[in-house]
Amino acid sequence: MDRGTVGSASRGRLQVAIRHHGASAVVTAAGELDHHTADLLRESLEGCVDDGYARLVVDCSPLEFMDSTGLNVLLGARLKAEAAGGGVHLAGMQPVVARVLEITGADAVFTVHDSLDAALSD
């Protein structure tokens, strides 16, 4: 059951919103995820795990760009979530974002879903 938006933040070109859906934290990243904005997403993801949400669903559908710094944020969140017994699920990636994961091989270490609905029903 969706409990609604529980938090949101913005840093220039990136906006992050967090809501809870059952045992999952749904983190929506919109805009550009790069070395200027990565800390905003990192703090949000780590905060979710610290609050007891080890299953992180990152809604990437409104994410327009991601560089290697953004990828490192997702990889770091994956390690923290897995240490807490959970994991990171990526949902609805645009082709430009999916390409970063494909090129680096990082798509093999994440659970990737075509849509947010698919990630939440898993």
Side-chain angles (χ1 to χ4, degrees):
M1 170 177 273
D2 183 2
R3 297 184 189 146
T5 301
V6 296
S8 63
S10 176
R11 184 170 296 150
R13 298 180 320 267
L14 182 70
Q15 295 180 347
V16 176
I18 302 167
R19 65 185 174 97
H20 300 139
H21 183 90
S24 300
V26 179
V27 180
T28 303
E32 299 178 12
L33 177 56
D34 59 25
H35 69 281
H36 296 290
T37 61
D39 284 341
L40 179 62
L41 183 60
R42 177 183 295 110
E43 292 163 3
S44 298
L45 292 169
E46 289 179 357
C48 289
V49 176
D50 291 343
D51 290 343
Y53 291 90
R55 185 178 194 274
L56 305 175
V57 176
V58 182
D59 180 7
C60 299
S61 60
L63 192 59
E64 301 166 359
F65 174 82
M66 179 176 72
D67 69 3
S68 61
T69 308
L71 176 58
N72 283 329
V73 166
L74 294 175
L75 290 168
R78 176 185 158 264
L79 292 175
K80 187 166 184 159
E82 286 181 353
V88 173
H89 297 253
L90 304 179
M93 287 187 292
Q94 300 295 324
V96 67
V97 175
R99 184 75 178 131
V100 173
L101 271 77
E102 291 168 16
I103 289 171
T104 61
D107 57 340
V109 300
F110 289 101
T111 304
V112 179
H113 304 272
D114 290 336
S115 68
L116 180 59
D117 287 340
L120 294 175
S121 66
D122 184 23

